[in-house]
Amino acid sequence: MEKPKNNQNKITAGLFAVYLFALTWIIVFKMQFSFQGLPDFRKINLIPFAGSANVNNQIDFNEIVYNVLAFIPFGIYISMLKPNWSFLKKIAVISGVSLLFEVLQFIFAIGASDITDLIGNTLGGIIGVGVYIVFCKLFSTKTNKILNILTSLGVIFLVALVLVLISGVIRFKF
């Protein structure tokens, strides 16, 4: 009975690796395919919901929502791979990765490092952990199998989006 669970964990780990690669490409490399396309500025904002989240003196909720949505899968994947970890340990890992992304942007001067992004990313991870808990209550032993199917669809969509961006059919600018 251990074999199917082990296979599910391998699938989950593979999907998580693709997700982390895509997340890094989106956040750190701003969906660019060359270093010349990266922004060349360094900015840091330590005041929540100020700075880069403000557009025309109003909070830009779109950016915050995108950060939350981008990290929901992180919470799901970490919960699938480490179901015995405490809630706080999972959130610490999610926050740590988000902080790493913000620090890398600052170190390499490829964008703004923003506490609002860290908050949004962490909130997304918390929602993802919550989604996993709900799925466990609903589907019990089939949770990882169902979530692997759903996240596979997400990865297929993500790969299709990347291929469309590479082909130049759609241009995306940060």
Side-chain angles (χ1 to χ4, degrees):
M1 199 46 96
E2 189 65 33
K3 191 118 175 135
K5 183 173 175 126
N6 191 21
N7 286 339
Q8 286 301 319
N9 283 346
K10 288 179 182 176
I11 292 168
T12 303
L15 291 169
F16 187 44
V18 171
Y19 164 76
L20 282 177
F21 178 79
L23 192 66
T24 303
W25 178 61
I26 291 167
I27 293 176
V28 177
F29 296 104
K30 313 292 187 229
M31 299 191 331
Q32 298 298 314
F33 296 104
S34 72
F35 290 111
Q36 289 80 23
L38 290 172
D40 185 23
F41 72 95
R42 179 180 289 136
K43 181 180 169 190
I44 190 164
N45 175 39
L46 298 176
I47 302 169
F49 307 104
S52 67
N54 281 328
V55 176
N56 298 327
N57 291 326
Q58 293 187 345
I59 293 178
D60 180 14
F61 287 105
N62 288 337
E63 181 183 344
I64 297 167
V65 168
Y66 294 150
N67 284 323
V68 170
L69 292 175
F71 269 74
I72 290 173
F74 200 123
I76 294 171
Y77 282 126
I78 202 82
S79 295
M80 291 171 70
L81 291 169
K82 299 295 182 183
N84 296 328
W85 279 9
S86 71
F87 177 80
L88 288 177
K89 189 171 185 176
K90 292 173 187 176
I91 300 310
V93 170
I94 293 164
S95 295
V97 169
S98 177
L99 180 62
L100 175 66
F101 285 161
E102 297 302 317
V103 168
L104 287 173
Q105 289 179 95
F106 182 79
I107 290 171
F108 295 114
I110 52 175
S113 299
D114 195 337
I115 190 73
T116 306
D117 293 348
L118 182 63
I119 292 168
N121 296 345
T122 302
L123 177 60
I126 290 169
I127 292 169
V129 171
V131 166
Y132 180 78
I133 291 168
V134 168
F135 268 71
C136 282
K137 300 275 187 216
L138 293 174
F139 302 109
S140 186
T141 59
K142 300 274 186 208
T143 299
N144 281 16
K145 186 174 187 175
I146 292 167
L147 285 171
N148 275 337
I149 291 168
L150 292 174
T151 56
S152 293
L153 295 173
V155 167
I156 290 168
F157 173 77
L158 185 64
V159 168
L161 177 63
V162 169
L163 291 174
V164 168
L165 289 170
I166 290 171
S167 71
V169 172
I170 296 176
R171 296 273 183 221
F172 187 84
K173 189 164 181 135
F174 261 92

